[in-house]
Amino acid sequence: MYTPRHNLIQDEAVIRKMVAAVRTAWFVTADADGIPQATFLPIIWRENAVVMHVARANRHWRNLAPGSPALLIVTGPDAYISPSWYEQKRIDGRVVPTWDYTAVHLTGTATVHEDPEWLRTAVTELTDAHETGREHPWAVSDAPPDHIDFELSGIVGIEVTVTRIEGKAKLNQNYPEADRRGAVDGLAREPFPDALVVAEQIAATLQD
């Protein structure tokens, strides 16, 4: 991932918090012919491993040899930034549009798991993570055991051992403070849900 110094996130704890907030990733590999394969999946990252599962009918997993290189792309909120919001536009007009976003790339090696107990543990952990905090959280144990066994037979587990972590926050950090404040104000008037989140992220850079 191309990451200029001013966009680099170096604190792993911050990166892990970003991934935990997004909770999903694009799982990307290449098959034996070099053709890219990608599947969007809910994930959980524990220590140096990311755990997920795919439908058994999804041929993506069948193209994975033991230790296959893999990339997980976690994308945060993003928004278009209009140059009309910048103070610099009023000064000399020497500005252009850009797009602000946050992203994490996790690179590693993939392992396929078909063991029912491994799958049961993974599914339980994923479910508990997403149900926590709900008024009436659902648990795997709420369903009849034979139904869970049937559902587990239709999925395959994937574990990515992470060997490289990259975090990026492109939030106009290299722009003058007046331009960043203009971007915050402009985003606050946009109709897109991510715009407000990106505005908050840019505002946070003004407080650093």
Side-chain angles (χ1 to χ4, degrees):
M1 177 165 57
Y2 169 63
T3 310
R5 177 179 292 184
H6 50 264
N7 299 139
L8 180 65
I9 303 174
Q10 295 181 297
D11 189 335
E12 184 176 322
V14 172
I15 295 175
R16 285 181 176 269
K17 187 176 180 179
M18 289 171 60
V19 172
V22 176
R23 306 183 297 175
T24 56
W26 281 101
F27 172 60
V28 184
T29 62
D31 64 19
D33 296 325
I35 299 174
Q37 305 275 332
T39 303
F40 186 73
L41 299 169
I43 64 169
I44 191 163
W45 185 8
R46 56 190 186 199
E47 298 181 357
N48 71 328
V50 176
V51 173
M52 55 205 140
H53 59 81
V54 299
R56 185 172 289 275
N58 183 341
R59 297 194 61 81
H60 190 167
W61 72 272
R62 295 186 183 277
N63 295 320
L64 298 175
S68 292
L71 171 66
L72 291 164
I73 302 174
V74 181
T75 58
D78 63 271
Y80 172 79
I81 307 297
S82 171
S84 65
W85 299 334
Y86 295 152
E87 177 67 23
Q88 193 66 31
K89 178 184 182 298
R90 288 182 281 275
I91 295 172
D92 59 16
R94 300 176 68 84
V95 289
V96 295
T98 191
W99 205 285
D100 279 3
Y101 62 91
T102 55
V104 172
H105 284 193
L106 303 175
T107 304
T109 55
T111 301
V112 172
H113 292 278
E114 297 186 74
D115 176 67
E117 289 312 307
W118 189 98
L119 289 168
R120 189 184 306 275
T121 298
V123 167
T124 299
E125 189 172 357
L126 279 162
T127 301
D128 290 347
H130 296 299
E131 291 285 338
T132 296
R134 297 181 183 274
E135 183 178 359
H136 302 291
W138 184 86
V140 171
S141 58
D142 288 347
D146 61 332
H147 179 68
I148 295 299
D149 290 343
F150 172 77
E151 294 291 344
L152 291 177
S153 69
I155 64 173
V156 173
I158 297 175
E159 182 177 12
V160 173
T161 301
V162 178
T163 56
R164 184 178 182 183
I165 301 170
E166 300 171 278
K168 180 176 182 177
K170 183 177 177 292
L171 300 169
N172 281 50
Q173 296 98 320
N174 57 323
Y175 285 65
E177 181 175 327
D179 288 353
R180 282 186 281 165
R181 292 192 183 280
V184 171
D185 292 341
L187 287 167
R189 298 189 296 271
E190 292 287 273
F192 311 108
D194 274 6
L196 289 177
V197 181
V198 175
E200 293 172 357
Q201 293 177 333
I202 296 175
T205 71
L206 295 167
Q207 301 167 10
D208 291 344

